[in-house]
Every structure is written in C-alpha cells, then in structure tokens.
Amino acid sequence: RQSAMALTFGVLGAGMMAEALCKGLAEANEVQYPDMSAYDPNPARQELFAGLGCTVCATIAEVVTRSKVILISVKPDTVAKVLTDVRPQLTKEHLLISIAAGVTLASLEEAAGGIPRVVRVMPNTPCLVRQSASGLSLGATATGADGELVKRLFDSVGVCHVVDEKLLDAVTGLSGSGPAYVFQVIEALSDGGVAAGLPRPVATSLAAQTVAGAAQMVLQTGTHPGALKDQVTSPGGTTIAGVHELERGGLRAALMNAVTAAAKRATELGQKK
C-alpha cells in the first residue's frame, strides 16, 4: 500500500470532477494538497486549485515531472494530443488515471508511447458530493497494486468497482448516465406530490430524501430490492395501489431500456474515436 506521504498526485484538466476528487482525497487523508499539482488553462480554475493549496503548474509537462499518479481529466478529443505532448516526460514510474469518457485503454497506452501504466475510470457526477459510483479497468501493464490504489482513491468519493474494460460501456449506461434517470424520477415524484396538494419545496425535499433513504437501505442491509419493496406493500394498501400504477406505466422496462440504450450509445461513440 502506497502511503499518503509517498503519493504525489497530478491533475491535467482541473474541472469540477477533478476538484471533487482532490477534495475527497484530502479529506480521506489519501493525498494532501501540498502533494497535488494541477494544470488548467482557465484562470478561474487555477485560482480555485491554488486556493486549496495545490501547486498550479504553468505547463502540463511540469505536472508530469512533479507527480507519480496523474489524473487525465481533459476533454476526450484532446487526450491523445496531451499524452503525445508529454511523452518525453513520462516514465515507467508513472500511473495514469483517465476519466475521459470513451477513450479506450489501447488508445491511451498508444498515445503515451506504452511507457506508463494506465487505468481507465468511469465515475459519475455525484462525485461532486462524494457519492460517486465508479467502474475502473486496468491497462495491459497496470498491476494489481495499481488497481487497489485507484479503487481506494475513488472509494474516497463514493464506491468503485473493478471491471473488465468491455463492461465499462455498461457502467456508463447504468451509473454514468444513471443520475439523469434518478433526477427524472425525483422530479416526477415531486410532481405527483404537488398534484396531491403539497407545496413544491416540500414535495421535492420528500422525494429526494425518499430516494436517498431507499438507496441507503439497499446498500446498508444488502437485502434484495424486491424484498424491501414487499416489506412496504401491505395487502390491499396504499403502496401496492401505487406499485400497480408503476407496473401499468412500464417503469421497470423503461429504466432497463434506458440503461441498455445508453450502454449501446457508449459503444457506438467509442468506435467512432
């Protein structure tokens, strides 16, 4: 296990996801801000990272020379150029972590000249509130210890699972795109509350907390969601009447179709690169 003292962490592309991850790492005592370096062309992002206590670098190459673990969080269409530009500074001691959507391990390794170890991660936007659901895949030369380290880093902002790269499109369809599905569910529940007479702020608060609470019951008890649903649905009661309407409306099929459609689209976009 690499200790927090031994880990130097660099960020190429200091956007909101990178910010959330850096804050999570610091709060979890995995990496301290003085051991973090960042590059971003946006002065506002530079100022924010400097305010955290990170070293803001003038060039991408400077981040690479200062760091052993490097987060690639630039736009997907610029990843290849960024890695090609810093290839002279890359060594076998470097571990690259890419969160660029759709950029394969093979293309990352090729752009980096096959020199560093590479790990690809698909996080999601709840990373911003340290509730991310992520999937990670190891590159050809990445080690088990690399996988453990990256999993630990992303566990600091939520939950992370190791999967084969071929399953990352499924991760994208489920947890990558999933927050949008859940936001729609929360909005619809709130609309229902308003239709039943509740003020909008109360309805939205109750809807969001209900979703959060139900999710925590699944995660904390390990009980099958269907069994938890059965515990709420008493014979001839209010809940089974509501569940019947959800079945009539095809809620489950719609959510399943959303996941598979998004996963299929992720595959298509990956093939275009």
Side-chain angles (χ1 to χ4, degrees):
R1 172 188 164 110
Q2 278 187 269
S3 70
M5 289 178 63
L7 192 58
T8 49
F9 190 76
V11 172
L12 302 182
M16 291 182 69
M17 290 286 266
E19 176 191 342
L21 183 59
C22 289
K23 286 178 176 176
L25 294 178
E27 288 173 28
N29 206 33
E30 290 289 354
V31 193
Q32 296 309 308
Y33 289 125
D35 295 320
M36 298 183 196
S37 305
Y39 170 83
D40 196 285
N42 183 333
R45 301 308 295 173
Q46 293 171 15
E47 188 176 333
L48 188 146
F49 271 72
L52 291 175
C54 304
T55 299
V56 175
C57 299
T59 65
I60 289 173
E62 187 184 346
V63 173
V64 173
T65 56
R66 291 178 60 91
S67 314
K68 285 291 182 275
V69 178
I70 300 164
L71 182 73
I72 312 295
S73 53
V74 296
K75 289 186 168 56
D77 58 357
T78 65
V79 170
K81 182 179 188 312
V82 165
L83 291 179
T84 304
D85 287 350
V86 297
R87 202 184 284 179
Q89 286 78 39
L90 290 171
T91 71
K92 292 190 184 300
E93 298 297 308
H94 283 110
L95 173 62
L96 304 186
I97 304 170
S98 171
I99 61 170
V103 182
T104 64
L105 287 166
S107 57
L108 290 163
E109 288 163 347
E110 182 183 353
I115 302 164
R117 289 116 55 220
V118 177
V119 174
R120 184 180 163 199
V121 182
M122 181 69 211
N124 65 3
T125 55
C127 180
L128 302 179
V129 291
R130 293 188 65 183
Q131 292 292 329
S132 183
S134 306
L136 77 85
S137 299
L138 301 179
T141 60
T143 65
D146 292 333
E148 289 174 15
L149 172 65
V150 176
K151 182 180 183 330
R152 201 170 77 236
L153 298 184
F154 279 84
D155 277 343
S156 75
V157 288
V159 173
C160 187
H161 293 277
V162 181
V163 299
D164 289 339
E165 187 180 27
K166 65 176 184 280
L167 295 176
L168 276 186
D169 289 338
V171 171
T172 300
L174 176 54
S175 54
S177 301
Y181 318 153
V182 178
F183 294 144
Q184 285 190 285
V185 168
I186 291 170
E187 184 184 29
L189 288 171
S190 176
D191 285 347
V194 170
L198 290 171
R200 173 65 72 183
V202 174
T204 299
S205 174
L206 289 173
Q209 181 59 36
T210 298
V211 170
Q216 283 303 312
M217 286 187 73
V218 173
L219 293 171
Q220 291 183 24
T221 67
T223 305
H224 191 283
L228 291 171
K229 178 262 296 174
D230 287 349
Q231 290 173 16
V232 192
T233 49
S234 53
T238 59
T239 305
I240 195 64
V243 168
H244 192 178
E245 290 301 321
L246 294 178
E247 292 292 346
R248 199 199 306 268
L251 174 75
R252 282 145 53 109
L255 289 171
M256 290 167 69
N257 289 341
V259 173
T260 54
K264 180 169 179 275
R265 184 61 180 148
T267 302
E268 292 167 356
L269 292 172
Q271 288 167 346
K272 283 183 181 178
K273 290 180 170 34

